[in-house]
């Protein structure tokens, strides 16, 4: 058990933004099978504690590498360009304008859902259109991050991550609104 390995080394996969998720999942299952705390039940308290810590480390590494946003942040961290998600700012007025439009659209849809004269079909179509637009933006940002990171344009890569944070939050809010529509 080597806690000094980065997550890519831990799973024996190339350090890259696009992770082979099948290979990652296979390596994850293999590591968990080998190092799961249940396998250390008859070992010393110290070995049991290490097994629990390493199992937790494996879980964190797996969750990080399988999430594009978390993987992007981790790659920037490994490049000594860490992201503080609480203080990220976006330097792109066009994106900020788009963000305001999405927020207004989501607020309008939320008001429609609360309305007694709700047209479920129309609202569902509008919600799906908004989701598709945000998902498309997410894909473009992922591609931008990959290109910027590959070119070592870390400031631009960090901006893509800042935008991805907003997009992921927006997608979560759309999902919540969609669930309330279905209730």
């Amino acid at each position: 058990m080597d806690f000094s390995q980065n997550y890519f080394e831990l799973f024996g996969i190339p350090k890259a933004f696009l992770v082979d998720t099948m290979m990652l999942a296979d390596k994850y299952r293999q590591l968990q099978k080998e190092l799961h705390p249940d396998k250390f039940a008859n070992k010393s308290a110290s070995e049991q504690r290490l097994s629990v810590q390493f199992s937790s480390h494996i879980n964190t590494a797996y969750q990080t590498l399988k999430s594009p946003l978390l993987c992007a942040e981790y790659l920037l961290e490994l490049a000594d360009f860490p992201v503080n998600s609480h203080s990220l700012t976006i330097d792109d007025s066009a994106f900020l304008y788009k963000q305001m439009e999405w927020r207004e659209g989501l607020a309008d849809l939320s008001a429609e859902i609360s309305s007694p004269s709700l047209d479920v079909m129309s609202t569902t179509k509008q919600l799906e259109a908004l989701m598709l637009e945000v998902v498309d933006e997410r894909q473009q940002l992922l591609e931008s991050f990959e290109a910027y990171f590959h070119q070592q344009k870390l400031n631009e890569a960090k901006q893509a991550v800042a935008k991805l944070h907003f997009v992921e939050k927006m997608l979560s809010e759309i999902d919540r609104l969609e669930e309330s529509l279905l209730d």
Side-chain angles (χ1 to χ4, degrees):
M1 295 184 259
D2 184 359
F3 287 98
S4 68
Q5 292 179 313
N6 71 45
Y7 296 164
F8 297 97
E9 293 168 341
L10 175 67
F11 287 104
I13 60 175
K15 185 169 95 174
F17 180 59
L18 295 177
V19 174
D20 181 337
T21 54
M22 295 298 281
M23 183 187 303
L24 179 66
D26 288 344
K27 299 276 186 166
Y28 171 74
R29 283 189 293 276
Q30 179 185 353
L31 285 169
Q32 282 294 21
K33 186 177 179 182
E34 292 172 15
L35 301 167
H36 194 275
D38 290 348
K39 292 196 114 190
F40 290 79
N42 296 327
K43 302 288 182 179
S44 70
S46 172
E47 289 174 302
Q48 289 175 10
R49 189 172 45 256
L50 274 175
S51 171
V52 168
Q53 290 172 341
F54 203 67
S55 185
S56 174
H57 182 67
I58 292 167
N59 287 334
T60 300
Y62 178 68
Q63 294 303 320
T64 298
L65 296 183
K66 80 174 192 170
S67 161
L69 176 58
L70 295 177
C71 186
E73 287 181 348
Y74 186 66
L75 283 167
L76 287 171
E77 183 182 316
L78 290 176
D80 290 327
F81 211 79
V83 174
N84 179 350
S85 61
H86 301 294
S87 65
L88 285 173
T89 56
I90 297 172
D91 272 347
D92 180 346
S93 57
F95 182 81
L96 293 172
Y97 183 75
K98 192 183 302 185
Q99 178 180 339
M100 287 175 22
E101 286 181 334
W102 289 341
R103 286 250 170 253
E104 288 172 6
L106 195 61
D108 291 346
L109 288 169
S110 183
E112 281 184 39
I113 289 172
S114 302
S115 167
S117 60
L118 171 65
D119 180 349
V120 176
M121 290 296 286
S122 172
T123 304
T124 300
K125 286 180 182 178
Q126 291 174 52
L127 194 58
E128 286 175 0
L130 178 60
M131 182 182 291
L132 287 174
E133 186 177 336
V134 177
V135 165
D136 183 53
E137 182 71 24
R138 179 182 187 265
Q139 185 59 39
Q140 290 176 34
L141 288 169
L142 292 171
E143 291 169 7
S144 293
F145 172 84
E146 181 183 19
Y148 289 138
F149 189 78
H150 182 72
Q151 297 165 12
Q152 291 297 298
K153 294 181 176 180
L154 300 182
N155 280 321
E156 291 88 345
K158 196 170 188 177
Q159 276 294 296
V161 167
K163 292 173 186 177
L164 277 167
H165 270 278
F166 172 79
V167 165
E168 292 296 338
K169 184 176 179 186
M170 188 72 186
L171 287 171
S172 293
E173 291 175 19
I174 292 170
D175 282 342
R176 277 196 295 277
L177 193 57
E178 186 176 45
E179 287 174 11
S180 72
L181 182 62
L182 298 174
D183 287 343

